[in-house]
């Protein structure tokens, strides 16, 4: 593991758990899916153009390696270059600048060198055309899997920049599920209520352990020809997700992974599902102090009617906003981005992601008797659980699967 990449890893893990807590993943009746690494990457693009308190708040909330732009850029460059030539992962970053504004050469050089991001001028006033143009770029970079994400309503003549991140991931399981044995079983929403869900089946060697301090089973499902895997945390009790999420706050996932041991002939039953999840993250990022398709966009609008902010009102705002407050307000400093002296701030932070979990593999016949009995060898994900798609350095996706009826 590269030293810079390692430096970024603990922050990504901490941010993930903070976001889970803020989104109330353990209490929600809705499935949650986010990409912590690409939340960090998108905010890093804004950090590269920020100054003063605006930059400091972003660095602190996103758990960057430091508040030094070069060190932050180097850490992300190390991660992004690793995925650059991957056959399974397609990554693209881009900054769209409104016509009439000129991006600073220094900022353009930083985002290209450290984040592999290009800059392009676009007329946001022609919102329909601009949305179509941006959507076409996203579609071309994600093998046609991400389409029609940007709406014309989200763009206007006030939009100064749109910072775009797109990620497409298509992985195959190293130990493939046996497709012919996918069948309906109960998934328990709580102790008494269940719904029928299609469960996949496989028997193989997996890294696994029961984690006593978390009262949960922990299983790693590795992907083929990759260092990526899905880490699944299944509470021992059907309604144990809340307790698990609470205890997880004091646990480092990197340390948790080290406890797993290879278990032979492990039987795994896992729900087959596809989830799409969209969220506007502005309020979350403001309030959090430390605070296999994905789309992430930050809209930055101008401030044509700047009003004077008194010392007292500023102090009050700072008291009520626990996280990235300055970047969303009229005192935001993004003067490192554009040549023009106009002040502007972030108006929206939007992420849309989807994941499909299926067999993706060949069919291997097995004796049907193995499917009929639950044994101590069986990992049966038949009630709400948490999962993380990662490479033990960075978390690409993190989710809470709580309700199959919402997929």
């Amino acid at each position: 593991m590269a030293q810079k990449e390692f430096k970024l890893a603990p922050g990504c893990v901490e941010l993930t758990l903070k976001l889970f807590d803020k989104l109330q993943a353990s209490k929600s009746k809705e499935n949650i899916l986010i990409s912590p690494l690409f939340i960090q990457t998108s905010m890093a693009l804004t950090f590269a153009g920020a100054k003063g308190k605006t930059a400091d708040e972003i660095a602190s909330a996103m758990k960057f390696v430091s508040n030094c732009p070069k060190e932050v850029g180097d850490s992300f460059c190390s991660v992004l270059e690793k995925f650059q030539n991957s056959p399974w992962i397609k990554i693209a970053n881009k900054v769209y600048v409104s016509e009439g504004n000129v991006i600073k050469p220094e900022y353009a050089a930083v985002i290209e060198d450290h984040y592999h991001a290009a800059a392009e001028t676009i007329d946001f006033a022609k919102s329909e055309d601009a949305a179509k143009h941006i959507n076409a770029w996203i579609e071309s970079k994600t093998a046609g899997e991400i389409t029609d994400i940007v709406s014309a309503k989200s763009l206007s003549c006030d939009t100064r920049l749109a910072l775009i991140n797109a990620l497409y991931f298509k992985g195959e399981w190293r130990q493939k599920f046996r497709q012919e044995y996918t069948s309906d079983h109960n998934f328990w929403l709580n102790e008494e209520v269940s719904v029928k869900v299609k469960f996949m089946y496989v028997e193989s060697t997996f890294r696994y352990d029961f984690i006593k301090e978390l009262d949960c089973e922990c299983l790693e499902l590795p992907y083929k020809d990759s260092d990526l895997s899905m880490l699944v945390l299944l509470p021992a009790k059907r309604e144990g997700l809340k307790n698990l999420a609470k205890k997880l706050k004091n646990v480092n996932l990197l340390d948790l992974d080290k406890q797993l041991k290879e278990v032979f002939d492990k039987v795994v039953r896992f729900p087959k599902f596809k989830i799409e999840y969209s969220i506007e993250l502005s309020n979350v990022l403001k309030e959090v102090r430390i605070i296999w398709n994905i789309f992430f966009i930050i809209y930055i609008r101008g401030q044509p009617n700047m009003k004077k902010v008194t010392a007292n009102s500023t102090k009050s705002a700072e008291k009520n906003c626990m996280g990235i407050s300055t970047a969303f307000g009229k005192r935001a400093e993004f003067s490192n981005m554009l040549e023009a002296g106009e002040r502007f701030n972030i108006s929206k932070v939007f992420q849309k992601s989807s994941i499909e979990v299926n067999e993706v593999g060949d069919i291997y016949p097995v004796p049907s008797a193995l499917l009929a009995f639950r044994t101590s060898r069986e990992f049966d994900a038949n009630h709400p659980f948490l999962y993380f798609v990662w490479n033990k350095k960075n978390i690409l996706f993190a989710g809470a699967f709580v309700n199959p009826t919402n997929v």
Side-chain angles (χ1 to χ4, degrees), residues 269-308:
R269 290 205 308 130
F270 203 72
K272 182 176 179 178
F273 61 86
K274 182 176 182 178
I275 292 172
E276 291 189 356
Y277 184 74
S278 300
I279 185 170
E280 210 288 294
L281 286 162
S282 300
N283 289 333
V284 174
L285 297 179
K286 290 175 186 177
E287 294 174 11
V288 179
R289 184 178 180 84
I290 305 181
I291 123 134
W292 172 277
N293 303 328
I294 180 165
F295 161 80
F296 196 105
I297 181 169
I298 296 180
Y299 298 108
I300 299 182
R301 299 189 183 279
Q303 297 178 359
N305 299 313
M306 289 289 293
K307 294 182 180 179
K308 184 177 180 181

Side-chain angles (χ1 to χ4, degrees), residues 71-117:
E71 289 184 10
V72 173
D74 286 345
S75 67
F76 278 94
C77 184
S78 176
V79 173
L80 297 175
E81 283 183 351
K82 177 180 176 60
F83 296 130
Q84 196 70 15
N85 299 315
S86 169
W88 312 111
I89 301 172
K90 303 299 178 187
I91 296 173
N93 297 317
K94 197 161 190 177
V95 177
Y96 287 95
V97 183
S98 62
E99 284 191 352
N101 288 276
V102 179
I103 194 168
K104 285 189 173 182
E106 298 85 357
Y107 180 66
V110 167
I111 63 174
E112 181 178 357
D113 293 343
H114 294 288
Y115 302 96
H116 301 285

Side-chain angles (χ1 to χ4, degrees), residues 140-327:
S140 71
K141 293 296 183 180
T142 58
E145 293 292 332
I146 306 178
T147 60
D148 300 325
I149 299 299
V150 180
S151 69
K153 293 180 180 179
S154 63
L155 305 173
S156 73
C157 58
D158 288 333
T159 306
R160 295 295 177 264
L161 294 95
L163 284 71
I164 309 289
N165 300 100
L167 165 66
Y168 170 62
F169 169 62
K170 183 178 182 180
E172 293 184 14
W173 301 118
R174 189 180 301 167
Q175 287 86 20
K176 297 171 183 176
F177 289 90
R178 291 156 182 177
Q179 196 168 18
E180 63 185 27
Y181 285 102
T182 296
S183 57
D184 290 339
H185 292 277
N186 287 328
F187 185 94
W188 294 89
L189 304 180
N190 51 51
E191 290 292 347
E192 299 178 349
V193 180
S194 67
V195 293
K196 290 293 183 183
V197 178
K198 289 194 178 300
F199 275 80
M200 306 179 296
Y201 169 92
V202 68
E203 180 184 354
S204 188
T205 299
F206 292 97
R207 295 180 67 239
Y208 166 90
D209 200 5
F210 183 85
I211 312 298
K212 276 188 176 181
E213 59 267 32
L214 297 179
D215 194 28
C216 79
E217 295 182 79
C218 185
L219 176 77
E220 180 186 55
L221 296 171
Y223 290 100
K224 178 182 177 182
D225 300 328
S226 172
D227 63 351
L228 291 168
S229 63
M230 179 183 285
L231 185 72
V232 185
L233 301 183
L234 178 69
K237 299 177 181 177
R238 291 175 181 171
E239 296 186 68
L241 199 63
K242 181 179 178 180
N243 192 42
L244 170 60
K246 183 179 180 180
K247 291 180 177 179
L248 204 57
K249 293 178 185 179
N250 301 316
V251 176
N252 189 326
L253 289 181
L254 299 168
D255 294 332
L256 183 64
D257 176 77
K258 295 175 184 177
Q259 298 184 47
L260 303 187
K261 309 173 187 67
E262 284 197 348
V263 177
F264 297 98
D265 300 325
K266 189 69 179 175
V267 174
V268 174
R269 290 205 308 130
F270 203 72
K272 182 176 179 178
F273 61 86
K274 182 176 182 178
I275 292 172
E276 291 189 356
Y277 184 74
S278 300
I279 185 170
E280 210 288 294
L281 286 162
S282 300
N283 289 333
V284 174
L285 297 179
K286 290 175 186 177
E287 294 174 11
V288 179
R289 184 178 180 84
I290 305 181
I291 123 134
W292 172 277
N293 303 328
I294 180 165
F295 161 80
F296 196 105
I297 181 169
I298 296 180
Y299 298 108
I300 299 182
R301 299 189 183 279
Q303 297 178 359
N305 299 313
M306 289 289 293
K307 294 182 180 179
K308 184 177 180 181
V309 182
T310 66
N312 287 336
S313 63
T314 302
K315 185 176 181 180
S316 175
E318 290 174 353
K319 183 177 180 180
N320 293 327
C321 295
M322 296 173 61
I324 306 175
S325 58
T326 308

Side-chain angles (χ1 to χ4, degrees), residues 30 33 276-280 350-353:
E30 180 184 11
L33 177 64
E276 291 189 356
Y277 184 74
S278 300
I279 185 170
E280 210 288 294
F350 174 76
Q351 184 183 81
K352 180 174 182 179
S353 45

